[in-house]
Amino acid sequence: MNFIDTKDNGLVAVEDLYVKDLAQKYGTPLYVYSKAQLVEHLRAYNEASGNVEHLVCYAVKANSNLAILQLMASLGTGFDIVSGGELARVIEAGGDPRKVVYSGVAKSVNEIEYALSQNILCFNVESPAELERINQIALDKGVKAPISIRVNPDVDAGTHPYISTGLKNNKFGVPVNTAFELYKHALTLDGIQIKGIDCHIGSQLTTLNPFVDALDRILNLVDRLADAGVKLEHIDIGGGLGVVYNDETPPSVSDYLKVVTQKLAGRGLKLICEPGRSMVANAGILVTRCEYLKQGEVCNFCIVDAAMNDMIRPSLYSAWMRIEEADHSLDREVAKYNVVGPICETGDFLGKDRVLKVASGDFLVMHGAGAYGFAMSSNYNSRPRSAEIMVDGSVSHIIRDRESVEDLWRHEHKIN
């Protein structure tokens, strides 16, 4: 079910509220999220897991707003984190640290100590050196650290190289051909408690084949470990399920987890998954206002008030994200535009070659903006970051204030 769509009157709405009205009320650029869409996406994961014992651990990095984390926590969700700051956010939002898995290749001493003190569910260990560090810290504290090893299966996810994580040349995880010996070594460490195994091969995956290939390789390793006396409690299959931005045809959550649960049948392993993009991307939009229309020699420009500091994905990944008018009923001339922002970089664009009916002052909607949108925003060109709101039926809640100009230098100091 889609809670962000265009009504019969031509106005784009988030649940029961028109985007045009929200833009006029809160200003632009503006991130808008649908509570109902977030709940629907989580429901899909829980239902598709069937009777298999499971835990959905939302990937905080996709969108870390406290209100979104609070909603997830209230629905019993766990969390996948990659920093101590994300763990602090989860706790501040009311999340249960005992449902937290900690990924990331560069966990510091302070971060490990903090996570241990909060009794997190599991560290996803990404290197032998990290395993030794966690063991020593746990020994110093007189505790056992719960760990799984993130295994890199060397599977090509067929996605953008910047969001691929499962190949030999990626920095993530332990190679599948050396993970067995590392598990055996972990058995000898007094500060370590082996809990499971973890694998994540990349993001925005649109076919099941890489998932299946990786899972088969991981399960082969699980069988070898069992024969060697290494008993695992859970298998963490990571995240990465793709979403529709343009004409992609990713597997449904139900098709994806049907394959997974079938392969796990009879193994007695708890299933952990770490969805991020598929939970929040299409539950959010970025609203921007057209400032100027400019006719160039080879293309036309629709210059808007949102920029690469607000949404960097098109510039960073050449990501294609759908852009449409917030009000399709307006009488405007149809033309093709490059939709660009105010940043002084040629790479500052939201979309190229877009056919739009737009005039100065009109609002545009960028879809699929709920994941890696505000979370990756910055103050480049000394631009205050945008406001974020959540829509719940016919009510809107501001969940992050728009930054002021004074916020730009709030943590800076002049020298007297």
Side-chain angles (χ1 to χ4, degrees):
M1 184 178 297
N2 190 1
F3 293 93
I4 302 175
D5 60 6
T6 302
K7 304 299 183 183
D8 292 340
N9 60 5
L11 295 178
V12 178
V14 177
E15 298 189 27
D16 298 330
L17 298 178
Y18 294 126
V19 169
K20 186 176 182 179
D21 294 339
L22 293 170
Q24 290 169 341
K25 179 178 180 179
Y26 294 104
T28 54
L30 178 68
Y31 277 95
V32 185
Y33 310 111
S34 163
K35 178 180 178 180
Q37 196 74 69
L38 292 167
V39 172
E40 171 68 15
H41 289 164
L42 177 58
R43 180 201 60 77
Y45 272 93
N46 282 323
E47 287 192 359
S49 298
N51 295 324
V52 174
E53 184 183 5
H54 70 279
L55 178 64
V56 177
C57 289
Y58 167 65
V60 175
K61 64 182 178 291
N63 189 320
S64 59
N65 185 280
L66 284 183
I68 291 177
L69 302 184
Q70 178 189 34
L71 174 62
M72 299 293 182
S74 72
L75 298 171
T77 313
F79 297 92
D80 166 51
I81 64 166
V82 293
S83 73
E86 288 190 348
L87 176 56
R89 277 186 171 272
V90 167
I91 294 170
E92 177 66 21
D96 185 351
R98 294 170 300 178
K99 294 182 178 179
V100 168
V101 294
Y102 195 162
S103 306
V105 300
K107 304 177 188 73
S108 70
V109 170
N110 288 342
E111 287 176 317
I112 294 168
E113 290 176 342
Y114 176 46
L116 277 174
S117 73
Q118 298 302 313
N119 297 312
I120 67 165
L121 175 62
C122 192
F123 291 94
N124 288 336
V125 173
E126 307 236 14
S127 68
E130 182 191 327
L131 179 65
E132 298 299 334
R133 174 178 286 185
I134 292 175
N135 176 61
Q136 188 58 57
I137 293 172
L139 289 174
D140 292 344
K141 289 183 169 294
V143 299
K144 282 186 175 289
I147 67 103
S148 65
I149 293 176
R150 178 171 176 174
V151 178
N152 185 332
D154 193 29
V155 168
D156 186 358
T159 189
H160 192 284
Y162 287 3
I163 53 178
S164 170
T165 62
L167 291 171
K168 288 180 179 179
N169 61 347
N170 296 140
K171 68 180 180 180
F172 301 97
V174 175
V176 67
N177 59 350
T178 62
F180 179 78
E181 293 301 326
L182 189 59
Y183 267 106
K184 288 177 63 178
H185 175 61
L187 273 180
T188 70
L189 300 177
D190 292 335
I192 295 298
Q193 180 184 16
I194 298 173
K195 301 288 285 186
I197 191 168
D198 173 53
C199 176
H200 177 67
I201 62 172
S203 185
Q204 187 54 7
L205 306 182
T206 56
T207 174
L208 283 176
N209 292 335
F211 282 119
V212 173
D213 190 4
L215 185 56
D216 285 341
R217 298 185 190 197
I218 297 302
L219 290 177
N220 285 336
L221 177 57
V222 169
D223 291 338
R224 288 183 64 203
L225 290 170
D227 291 340
V230 181
K231 180 168 177 56
L232 305 178
E233 298 178 17
H234 73 247
I235 180 169
D236 185 338
I237 60 172
L241 188 63
V243 302
V244 178
Y245 290 111
N246 185 12
D247 55 2
E248 301 92 341
T249 56
S252 66
V253 172
S254 60
D255 288 344
Y256 163 52
L257 288 182
K258 181 179 179 180
V259 170
V260 174
T261 54
Q262 286 176 343
K263 287 186 173 291
L264 295 185
R267 288 181 172 271
L269 291 171
K270 180 176 181 178
L271 171 63
I272 295 177
C273 59
E274 303 169 355
R277 185 191 307 269
S278 59
M279 290 281 282
V280 293
N282 288 325
I285 57 173
L286 174 60
V287 188
T288 184
R289 185 183 68 246
C290 174
E291 297 288 353
Y292 304 99
L293 296 179
K294 178 179 179 181
Q295 185 173 0
E297 292 187 3
V298 295
C299 61
N300 299 318
F301 298 96
C302 175
I303 306 172
V304 297
D305 64 356
M308 65 186 292
N309 76 294
D310 302 296
M311 169 56 75
I312 198 173
R313 294 190 64 251
S315 298
L316 186 61
Y317 303 128
S318 298
W320 193 101
M321 302 170 72
R322 183 163 67 94
I323 300 172
E324 67 170 326
E325 305 87 344
D327 184 352
H328 292 271
S329 69
L330 297 175
D331 184 17
R332 303 285 189 254
E333 182 179 347
V334 177
K336 183 180 290 186
Y337 298 98
N338 286 353
V339 182
V340 300
I343 294 288
C344 288
E345 299 278 354
T346 302
D348 177 28
F349 65 93
L350 300 185
K352 295 183 177 181
D353 297 326
R354 305 304 177 87
V355 176
L356 297 167
K357 295 193 303 178
V358 63
S360 177
D362 290 351
F363 297 112
L364 296 176
V365 178
M366 172 178 265
H367 289 269
Y372 307 106
F374 188 91
M376 297 179 75
S377 63
S378 73
N379 292 124
Y380 186 45
N381 277 198
S382 289
R383 287 172 50 83
R385 286 185 291 179
S386 63
E388 295 177 285
I389 66 171
M390 184 179 291
V391 172
D392 182 5
S394 60
V395 179
S396 61
H397 303 276
I398 188 156
I399 59 174
R400 183 183 172 100
D401 294 326
R402 185 178 304 282
E403 289 182 344
S404 67
V405 172
E406 291 76 18
D407 288 330
L408 293 173
W409 56 79
R410 187 168 303 280
H411 300 291
E412 299 177 27
H413 301 278
K414 295 178 286 187
I415 299 175
N416 295 325

